Amino acid sequence: MEHHYKWGIVRAGSTYTAFIDVEVDVGPLKHVGFLWNSDSINQFFLKLGGKTAVVQYGKDGKKSTFCGSETVRENILQTMIAC
């Protein structure tokens, strides 16, 4: 299941929050992915990466945390695993 968000300018060290409402119980998550792309040409081959993602289930409020330690180029999927 994929969800896309447009953040505008992403800055290192900043926190971004999004609300996702799904009608299907997807069960426990094993990993989450971080994929970015730019509206402009990435002429400097910049890399970005997600450090932490916290997913909270609405039904019971349980939170799961996923961590990433790498940075990736545009349109390359970064997989974040439970930590």
Side-chain angles (χ1 to χ4, degrees), residues 14-75:
S14 296
T15 300
Y16 299 89
T17 303
F19 177 75
I20 301 170
D21 186 16
V22 295
E23 295 179 15
V24 178
D25 184 358
V26 296
L29 299 178
K30 296 180 177 152
H31 61 271
V32 296
F34 175 78
L35 183 70
W36 70 277
N37 61 45
S38 175
D39 290 338
S40 59
I41 297 172
N42 185 7
Q43 62 185 350
F44 300 109
F45 302 105
L46 300 174
K47 291 183 175 184
L48 293 174
K51 183 176 178 182
T52 307
V54 178
V55 178
Q56 180 176 356
Y57 295 93
K59 215 175 211 183
D60 60 8
K62 180 182 175 190
K63 293 182 181 180
S64 299
T65 303
F66 300 88
C67 296
S69 59
E70 62 185 342
T71 57
V72 293
R73 283 185 155 157
E74 183 175 12
N75 294 315

